[in-house]
Amino acid sequence: MSNQSREWVSRSLASVWHPCTQMQHHETTPLIPVSHGRGAWLYDHDGRRYLDAISSWWVNLFGHANPRINAALRDQLEKLEHAMLAGFTHEPVIELSERLSAATNHHLGHAFYASDGASAVEIALKMSFHSWRNRGRNEKQEFVCLQGSYHGETIGALAVTDVALFKDAYGPLLRAAQTVMSPDARQAVDGETAQDVARRAAGDVERLFQQKSEKIAAIIIEPLVQCAAGMAMHDPLYLQLVRELCDRYGVHLILDEIAVGCGRTGTFFACEQAGVRPDFLTLSKGISGGYLPLSVVLSTDDVYQAFYSADVTRGFLHSHSYTGNPLACRAALATLDIFREDDVLAANQSLADRITTALAPLRGHARVKHFRQRGMIWAFDATDVDNTFSRRFFANATQNELLLRPIGSTVYLMPPYILTDDDVHVLADRTLAVFEQTIAG
């Protein structure tokens, strides 16, 4: 590492508290000071490059420094950088809201904006509770989440998260939620299929609804892939069954598409593969192409009408200073333009097939189990590894020009949608090499 890079690392460690990190680990695992990005690659100050195989925490869809998104932002900068959205409005937020509603065939709309995924989850939870209250159902105050679920780390979102590492320290601050079986297909036993697991998990929801539906406001689900649970994938049938249960028992369905939306699972919205629409849908991460903080909650007209009144106390009095920021919305509009102009969903099918073929040696590896794929997400579980596996894998990956950050013993790939054939071979060959290096100790 050059003197310049060492200086940047030293200054960062002295001043920046890095997220999701035990800072002491950086005594042995150096930070990488990023200089710039181009396409699927990040570059450090010494000229080394790193294939961004996890899209910088699942946000970057079309590469770093994308020319079309850059051009849209430059144009917007000359017009309007920000204006408060209370009492004012502007073209980017209107056009984005219209296009997102159209993407749901206008089943969902009335977009409410924030800046990050956890805040969107908070909004959806509050809207569900408050809409029931406005309709005279004050008793509906409880929420249901899945085992292994992750919805963010603010207090409300953490209450419907079931990852002990994130949640346990803050238990005294949290409102208890009901937790039901995950439909994770890895739980199949005795010849069960993924659909069998989905039915068992839905049965657990039904038993809870039979007992407590009059007190439950909503169930929140990451459709098709529970990402932070180690890319736990489930059959779309689960969503169909839970939607039917929510209709039957009068419970809102919140679908958290923060990580799995925007084409990541093969369709623009993951829930399209089940043919269902939720009462609330949350988006963030890829919606701005990985450029700027932006999140949105889409809701049904029925929910919206529960707040529509001359009575201020019946309104949804929630706000963020940068709600509907014009620059972030313009980045999102440019992202949607790329989806349309490049037929991205069709192109991703072909790209996903090439990546899956290239990863074949890992699928059959003796130390791999549960190799799985959904759209542009791949994952597999390493067998017989210790609790240092993830950190050692990450360090070995950076030495091989890869940005890969396993979740426990689960290695996953979630690359941007613009990989070249050369990038695909680099990704597959070096992931295998890093895996073998890491399991060898």
Side-chain angles (χ1 to χ4, degrees):
M1 185 179 287
S2 68
N3 289 336
Q4 180 188 34
S5 291
R6 275 192 286 269
E7 181 182 358
W8 283 117
V9 169
S10 176
R11 288 169 63 182
S12 186
L13 291 174
S15 61
V16 180
W17 199 335
H18 292 265
C20 204
T21 298
Q22 171 47 266
M23 293 298 294
Q24 192 182 69
H25 289 166
H26 282 306
E27 293 181 5
T28 55
T29 303
L31 285 168
I32 297 171
V34 175
S35 167
H36 63 282
R38 289 290 183 274
W41 296 85
L42 294 168
Y43 295 81
D44 67 20
H45 287 270
D46 297 334
R48 286 179 57 85
R49 65 178 191 166
Y50 308 87
L51 181 62
D52 190 354
I54 59 171
S55 299
S56 288
W57 259 348
W58 322 341
V59 302
N60 188 285
L61 303 188
F62 300 119
H64 299 281
N66 182 280
R68 284 184 277 182
I69 302 176
N70 285 0
L73 287 174
R74 289 191 190 99
D75 180 71
Q76 186 61 42
L77 274 169
E78 298 300 324
K79 297 177 179 178
L80 177 67
E81 81 298 335
H82 185 65
M84 63 185 290
L85 206 61
F88 290 83
T89 193
H90 50 76
E91 292 177 21
V93 77
I94 296 167
E95 292 179 3
L96 179 58
S97 303
E98 290 173 343
R99 290 176 67 174
L100 289 175
S101 180
T104 73
N105 292 322
H106 302 288
H107 177 85
L108 300 172
H110 308 293
F112 198 102
Y113 291 90
S115 301
D116 59 85
S119 295
V121 170
E122 298 277 344
I123 289 165
L125 297 174
K126 288 176 66 176
M127 276 185 176
S128 174
F129 161 77
H130 198 165
S131 68
W132 287 120
R133 190 183 75 169
N134 281 354
R135 295 191 183 280
R137 299 293 303 277
N138 293 343
E139 73 281 5
K140 293 178 79 67
Q141 300 181 11
E142 297 186 22
F143 296 99
V144 181
C145 64
L146 275 55
Q147 291 174 346
S149 59
Y150 176 88
H151 299 288
E153 292 166 43
T154 51
I155 295 299
L158 197 57
V160 290
T161 287
D162 186 50
V163 180
L165 181 64
F166 300 128
K167 184 174 183 177
D168 282 359
Y170 308 102
L173 303 179
L174 305 178
R175 183 183 179 91
Q178 302 287 334
T179 304
V180 293
M181 174 185 169
S182 167
D184 181 358
R186 291 176 295 180
Q187 298 176 110
V189 296
D190 299 328
E192 280 187 320
T193 65
Q195 287 200 341
D196 293 329
V197 178
R199 290 187 183 95
R200 279 203 288 126
D204 199 34
V205 175
E206 182 166 20
R207 284 186 290 273
L208 177 64
F209 282 7
Q210 287 172 341
Q211 298 168 11
K212 301 198 67 174
S213 62
E214 73 281 358
K215 296 183 179 180
I216 296 172
I219 181 171
I220 183 168
I221 298 170
E222 301 161 85
L224 301 187
V225 187
Q226 292 178 256
C227 293
M231 301 300 158
M233 299 184 185
H234 60 258
D235 192 275
L237 175 64
Y238 179 73
L239 301 176
Q240 297 171 6
L241 296 174
V242 173
R243 175 72 271 181
E244 292 169 3
L245 292 170
C246 287
D247 291 341
R248 189 188 317 164
Y249 289 94
V251 173
H252 286 148
L253 175 60
I254 302 172
L255 292 186
D256 177 352
E257 297 228 6
I258 290 162
V260 299
C262 302
R264 186 57 73 178
T265 65
T267 47
F268 189 80
F269 299 117
C271 60
E272 292 177 56
Q273 297 178 48
V276 303
R277 295 296 185 191
D279 301 287
F280 302 89
L281 188 146
T282 64
L283 287 172
S284 190
K285 292 190 181 291
I287 189 59
S288 72
Y291 265 68
L292 290 165
L294 181 68
S295 63
V296 59
V297 179
L298 302 175
S299 61
T300 63
D301 192 60
D302 184 67
V303 168
Y304 179 78
Q305 291 299 328
F307 293 90
Y308 202 81
S309 170
D311 183 351
V312 172
T313 65
R314 291 176 63 87
F316 189 63
L317 305 182
H318 183 106
S319 63
H320 295 263
S321 298
Y322 285 93
T323 293
N325 173 259
L327 288 168
C329 289
R330 189 68 186 276
L333 287 167
T335 297
L336 295 181
D337 287 342
I338 294 173
F339 269 100
R340 180 185 61 208
E341 294 165 7
D342 293 3
D343 197 5
V344 168
L345 296 177
N348 278 359
Q349 290 181 358
S350 174
L351 176 57
D353 288 343
R354 298 199 301 275
I355 294 174
T356 299
T357 298
L359 291 172
L362 275 164
R363 179 192 290 272
H365 198 285
R367 295 283 295 277
V368 165
K369 65 179 180 179
H370 300 307
F371 183 98
R372 52 201 181 274
Q373 179 246 340
R374 172 73 69 172
M376 287 292 291
I377 305 173
W378 292 261
F380 60 88
D381 302 328
T383 62
D384 302 318
V385 295
D386 62 22
N387 60 9
T388 68
F389 171 80
S390 177
R391 283 191 290 122
R392 290 187 294 110
F393 190 103
F394 171 77
N396 291 335
T398 58
Q399 292 301 312
N400 284 270
E401 297 188 328
L402 288 182
L403 171 51
L404 284 173
R405 186 182 169 105
I407 301 170
S409 61
T410 296
V411 178
Y412 74 90
L413 293 76
M414 201 184 288
Y417 302 161
I418 46 85
L419 297 189
T420 66
D421 286 341
D422 286 343
D423 293 338
V424 169
H425 291 301
V426 168
L427 175 63
D429 294 346
R430 296 189 188 179
T431 300
L432 175 61
V434 170
F435 179 66
E436 292 185 333
Q437 177 185 358
T438 306
I439 61 176

